């Protein structure tokens, strides 16, 4: 149920499928759409839905988005200085994707956590290319950034309204975020173009 009248009246939200939900996290509503992280009961992952312009009809935009339980936080991050740009940590474990669903991949064998980003409110998601200055010893290599999740001891992605296009994050270059073999390989990365490309800011992780 959603209210636009300060709780005086409510209207039922419409989702594309019958949901077995455990919790809801309202992620963002600043760009004319509401983004909600629905936790279906799978351990540490859920699905993100985006509303239409009337903010009552929702569509699925991303499966298996990681979250933490204590405190209840989503790894879904809005880039504060650029509308429509978001980052998320997702899992290849298809915990909340039913077999037969369009997004279900029956050939997927390896599992892990990795970072994706979108520049158009979730219409298209992509992984982050590794910085050119970082040698790729075991392809495929991507930049994976830590989000706000219970398994991370690193500061998550940071952005500010007044710093247009600037993004700061702790991360690791490899196929998956949880492949990091040693804490010494976690570094701090910096983007000047809204997350399109990144460069290493420091060889060590930092709190900021």
């Amino acid at each position: 149920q959603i209210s636009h009248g300060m709780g005086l009246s409510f209207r039922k939200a419409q989702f594309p499928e019958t949901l077995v939900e455990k919790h809801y996290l309202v992620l963002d509503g600043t760009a004319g759409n509401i983004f909600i992280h629905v936790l279906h009961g799978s351990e540490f992952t859920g699905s993100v839905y985006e509303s239409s312009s009337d903010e009552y009809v929702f569509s699925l935009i991303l499966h298996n988005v990681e979250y933490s339980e204590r405190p209840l936080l989503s790894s879904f991050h809005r880039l504060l200085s650029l509308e429509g740009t978001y980052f998320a940590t997702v899992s290849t474990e298809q915990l909340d994707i039913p077999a037969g669903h369009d997004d279900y991949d029956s050939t997927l064998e390896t599992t892990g956590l990795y970072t994706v980003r979108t520049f158009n409110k979730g219409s298209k998601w992509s992984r982050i290319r590794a910085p050119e200055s970082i040698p790729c010893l075991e392809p495929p290599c991507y930049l994976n950034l830590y989000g706000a999740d219970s398994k991370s001891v690193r500061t998550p992605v940071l952005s500010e309204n007044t710093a247009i296009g600037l993004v700061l994050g702790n991360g690791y270059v490899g196929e998956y975020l949880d492949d990091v073999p040693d804490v010494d390989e976690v570094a701090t990365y910096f983007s000047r173009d809204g997350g399109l490309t990144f460069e290493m800011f420091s060889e060590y992780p930092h709190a900021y």
Side-chain angles (χ1 to χ4, degrees):
Q1 301 282 342
I2 296 176
S3 173
H4 286 283
M6 300 180 68
L8 298 177
S9 61
F10 287 85
R11 181 176 170 184
K12 187 176 181 180
Q14 299 179 38
F15 287 86
E17 53 192 287
T18 302
L19 300 179
V20 178
E21 73 277 5
K22 185 177 180 181
H23 299 290
Y24 291 89
L25 288 171
V26 178
L27 304 171
D28 186 35
T30 60
N33 306 76
I34 297 175
F35 293 84
I36 293 180
H37 195 166
V38 181
L39 315 182
H40 300 291
S42 299
E43 187 177 13
F44 303 124
T45 64
S47 297
V48 173
Y49 296 83
E50 178 188 7
S51 74
S52 57
S53 57
D54 65 6
E55 299 182 348
Y56 291 106
V57 180
F58 287 81
S59 57
L60 176 68
I61 62 168
L62 194 60
H63 266 304
N64 290 340
V65 180
E66 193 181 30
Y67 71 93
S68 66
E69 287 189 320
R70 298 178 182 178
L72 193 58
L73 295 171
S74 174
S75 68
F76 191 92
H77 175 82
R78 175 172 69 94
L79 182 59
L80 299 179
S81 64
L82 293 175
E83 184 176 304
T85 301
Y86 299 88
F87 293 82
T89 302
V90 299
S91 172
T92 57
E93 294 186 45
Q94 303 175 100
L95 298 176
D96 62 340
I97 306 179
H101 192 283
D102 289 344
D103 290 341
Y104 188 88
D105 184 358
S106 60
T107 65
L108 192 61
E109 296 180 356
T110 59
T111 61
L113 299 171
Y114 60 96
T115 302
V116 292
R117 76 247 163 124
T118 179
F119 303 107
N120 50 16
K121 296 184 180 181
S123 295
K124 182 179 180 180
W125 295 89
S126 61
R127 299 191 66 172
I128 305 173
R129 291 183 180 180
E132 294 183 359
S133 60
I134 307 298
C136 182
L137 302 179
E138 296 184 15
C141 290
Y142 300 96
L143 175 60
N144 297 292
L145 301 173
Y146 285 95
D149 63 270
S150 60
K151 294 184 285 297
S152 170
V153 295
R154 304 297 167 198
T155 307
V157 174
L158 174 71
S159 63
E160 294 290 343
N161 283 311
T162 54
I164 306 300
L166 300 186
V167 187
L168 194 65
N170 289 311
Y172 166 72
V173 171
E175 185 173 7
Y176 297 120
L177 185 61
D178 41 1
D179 280 345
V180 58
D182 193 290
V183 67
D184 291 337
E185 296 197 30
V186 177
T188 304
Y189 295 89
F190 180 69
S191 174
R192 305 172 188 269
D193 51 17
L196 183 63
T197 61
F198 281 82
E199 58 189 273
M200 183 184 288
F201 176 77
S202 169
E203 294 182 354
Y204 306 99
H206 287 273
Y208 38 78

